[in-house]
């Protein structure tokens, strides 16, 4: 079976750095996605990690450790518009994604 | 937005009626997906397609069927809608390949079954 865990809620201050963790146990693993979803909108692609290590894209970075079943999304220089739900998703071997329940991030002024 | 549209965007229907949701893409991507999103469950895969007339079930496929007769269209049908199928439905496509690929979502369809 599949199990993906991420914190339900997090709060951080504008300008700060926040790390959202995701742990997973799945049968089959191709890669790991991170998405951002604002309320009432569709998920927006942020990153896709296949190999171990850190991938950086501007203010957002994503890390993967396949041996530990662990990933994190790092958001730097937080802005109010970063308040959203962040979804971790594992791609299994059949090109299917299994999503975690999401982490609701609130950025405070 | 990778050229994905969904129709209708909102629908209210009665229990027992058939409902078809349409996903349309303009870029000839091979893989297309249907998800539903519910509070407390996150996004769950219903069905997916890896080419014309090639489809497979996801984790919550009971009560749903799909068809893909053209590359650009992927239809999701609820043969007899139930209240438990009230949800937001998202279509997605997969782009790229190998170690560099992305999955983009359409704008969603909010379905209410009364």
């Amino acid at each position: 079976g599949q199990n993906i865990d991420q914190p339900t809620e997090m709060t951080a201050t504008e300008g700060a750095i926040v790390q959202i963790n995701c742990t997973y146990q799945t049968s089959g693993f191709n890669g790991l996605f991170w998405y951002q979803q604002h309320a009432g909108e569709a998920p927006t692609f942020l990153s896709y990690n296949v190999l171990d290590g850190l991938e950086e894209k501007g203010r957002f970075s994503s890390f993967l450790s396949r041996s530990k079943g662990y990933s994190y999304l790092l958001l730097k220089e937080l802005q109010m518009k970063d308040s959203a739900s962040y979804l971790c998703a594992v791609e299994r071997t059949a090109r299917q994604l299994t999503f975690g329940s999401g982490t609701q991030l609130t950025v405070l002024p | 937005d990778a050229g994905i549209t969904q129709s209708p965007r909102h629908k209210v229907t009665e229990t027992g009626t058939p409902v078809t949701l349409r996903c349309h893409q303009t870029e000839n991507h091979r893989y297309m997906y249907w998800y539903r999103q519910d509070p407390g469950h996150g996004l769950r895969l219903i069905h997916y397609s890896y080419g014309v007339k090639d489809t497979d079930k996801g984790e919550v496929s009971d009560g749903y069927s799909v068809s893909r007769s053209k590359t650009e269209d992927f239809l999701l049908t609820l043969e007899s809608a139930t209240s438990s199928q009230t949800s937001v439905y998202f279509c997605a496509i997969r782009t790229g390949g190998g170690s560099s690929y992305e999955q983009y979502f359409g704008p969603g369809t909010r379905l209410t079954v009364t």
Side-chain angles (χ1 to χ4, degrees), chain A residues 69-107:
Chain A
Y70 168 68
S71 174
Y72 67 73
L73 180 69
L74 193 70
L75 292 75
K76 303 175 185 176
E77 301 170 12
L78 280 173
Q79 303 175 7
M80 298 299 289
K81 67 179 182 180
D82 297 330
S83 290
S85 182
Y86 290 86
L87 312 177
C88 168
V90 171
E91 182 196 26
R92 296 182 283 125
T93 55
R95 296 287 183 259
Q96 300 183 47
L97 294 191
T98 300
F99 282 81
S101 296
T103 298
Q104 183 63 46
L105 174 67
T106 302
V107 180

Side-chain angles (χ1 to χ4, degrees), chain A residues 33 35 37 41-43 45 48 50 57 87 91 94-101, chain B residues 31 33 35 37 40 43 45 48 57-58 90 94 98-99 101-103 105-107:
Chain A
F33 287 85
Y35 286 87
Q37 187 176 25
E41 299 182 7
F45 171 83
Y48 175 58
V50 175
K57 283 188 180 181
L87 312 177
E91 182 196 26
R95 296 287 183 259
Q96 300 183 47
L97 294 191
T98 300
F99 282 81
S101 296
Chain B
Y31 284 84
Y33 305 81
Y35 293 87
Q37 187 172 36
L43 280 155
L45 181 66
Y48 67 102
K57 297 178 179 180
F90 288 103
R94 174 181 181 265
S99 63
Y101 96 81
E102 303 175 6
Q103 191 167 116
F105 285 81

